[in-house]
């Protein structure tokens, strides 16, 4: 077990409303199952031989988890916001790359952005892209502040 | 001792001036006793059974400390800036939440914002709020750049 | 070996272009040898007795490395962007300070900014500045997004 070289990862995206922008963001994290931990923001590389898990469970409250995330909040009624993460896994699971995007756009547009970024990241490294996965979330602001978040959370065990 | 699940925490806020915005921020951290460590920014959850300490002491220079902080800098004479952190502790100290706010406002306004956010955070989780504490700092810019910071610093031991 | 109190550090700066701003940033990190790790952003203090290394090598893909960095991206043709880090080492290597700057300026201007900040940081602490080093990078945007980054990466061993 080591905080330094994560062993497992979870990937997800969610949208939520809240009484303030920060509460909306908090509510989106809760939907993802990571509202009660401390996210430590990372730049965006996936360790070799990572094992992907489907659900976050049994994490102590307040635990520090290294996380790559994209998010955006808005309180402008009628606006659509989206966040996406694109993950590229290399041949043999020898490592991978994560690229993030968030903005005033649809989730389809955000996903296209991260796909392009993953492809370029693999090309410049001369890595072979075995698998591409994206998660994204989109919300159109109504009468309350809203948030979207896309995250890859890494676990030391 | 573990970096992953902090055991103790310190909470404080300060304002300072400096020759640049970054130096003003640095000077505010020095007033809090955390100017000579490396802050690793966290999102905002308090581990269960945390013990609060009154003062930061005997920390090695350059140690990495997980910290929730809000800050803002300004060099516009006449403007008032404030930063606040609101901490809610749950019944039985089973965990807590920290919300942050900083902006062009008074510290009273910043404290009201974080109180509202803590209350909503507890409500959406169905947690019972046993205790609310806030720290905040305010400064009106004169002829030098100024900064305010509010922080909860966590310690692995 | 401890993630908490780094033992060695590397310092460098680079500029690069890319298909997007994030890819340009990624390409600048690759030039520095830190494109395949996860940077955990730090505020800016150098532990005592740090040993400086000339090159980053043999780091596992996706390892978490505490890093102080300044960066800026731009896609506005004709604009010049720069990033600099200034490092001040105290007498006896009892610790040091890092200040960062990035903006629309030349790297000479960015280096002057960080030198001033380091000098003020040492003065307010009453520390004696034994050595000052700066790294910086500059690029003028042409037809592709461009990025500059200056970084001090810390290693636990």
């Amino acid at each position: 077990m080591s905080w330094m070289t994560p062993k497992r990862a979870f990937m997800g995206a969610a949208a939520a409303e809240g009484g303030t922008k920060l509460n909306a963001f908090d509510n989106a994290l809760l939907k993802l199952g990571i509202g009660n931990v401390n996210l430590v923001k990372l730049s965006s590389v996936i360790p070799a031989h990572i094992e992907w898990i489907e659900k976050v469970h049994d994490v102590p409250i307040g635990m520090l988890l290294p996380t790559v995330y994209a998010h955006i909040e808005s309180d402008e009624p009628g606006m659509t916001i989206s966040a996406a993460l694109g993950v590229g896994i290399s041949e043999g699971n020898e490592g991978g790359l994560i690229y993030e995007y968030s903005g005033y756009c649809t989730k389809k547009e955000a996903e296209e952005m991260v796909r392009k970024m993953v492809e370029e990241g693999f090309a410049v490294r001369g890595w072979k892209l075995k698998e591409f996965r994206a998660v994204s979330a989109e919300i159109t602001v109504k009468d309350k502040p809203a948030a979207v978040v896309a995250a890859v959370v890494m676990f030391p065990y």
Side-chain angles (χ1 to χ4, degrees), chain A:
Chain A
M1 175 163 122
S2 164
W3 208 82
M4 269 182 281
T5 44
K7 299 286 175 278
R8 296 192 306 161
F10 163 80
M11 185 174 184
E17 297 178 321
T20 65
K21 289 180 184 180
L22 184 52
N23 284 295
F25 175 58
D26 185 38
N27 291 339
L29 294 179
L30 282 169
K31 284 190 184 176
L32 287 179
I34 53 174
N36 293 330
V37 294
N38 279 305
L39 308 181
V40 177
K41 191 156 189 151
L42 295 189
S43 66
S44 44
V45 177
I46 299 169
H49 308 299
I50 202 90
E51 177 197 343
W52 292 90
I53 57 176
E54 293 307 309
K55 201 170 172 302
V56 177
H57 49 93
D58 292 337
V59 177
I61 292 179
M63 185 177 175
L64 272 59
L65 292 179
T67 303
V68 181
Y69 58 103
H71 68 107
I72 182 171
E73 291 79 34
S74 175
D75 53 11
E76 300 170 67
M79 299 304 288
T80 296
I81 50 175
S82 294
L85 286 187
V87 171
I89 302 293
S90 68
E91 200 83 49
N93 198 11
E94 296 298 328
L97 301 174
I98 310 172
Y99 292 84
E100 61 193 59
Y101 190 79
S102 61
Y104 287 87
C105 61
T106 65
K107 73 182 207 179
K108 189 154 171 277
E109 289 165 330
E111 286 204 9
E112 273 160 30
M113 278 299 296
V114 296
R115 173 184 285 275
K116 271 180 51 181
M117 293 193 281
V118 167
E119 286 168 355
E120 177 168 339
F122 271 72
V124 297
R125 282 168 177 81
W127 289 5
K128 189 152 179 226
L129 181 59
K130 188 190 160 203
E131 190 191 342
F132 173 80
R133 297 169 60 189
V135 284
S136 61
E138 171 185 318
I139 194 168
T140 299
V141 185
K142 290 176 196 156
D143 54 349
K144 299 178 71 169
V148 283
V149 61
V152 172
V153 190
M154 298 187 195
F155 298 87
Y157 46 80

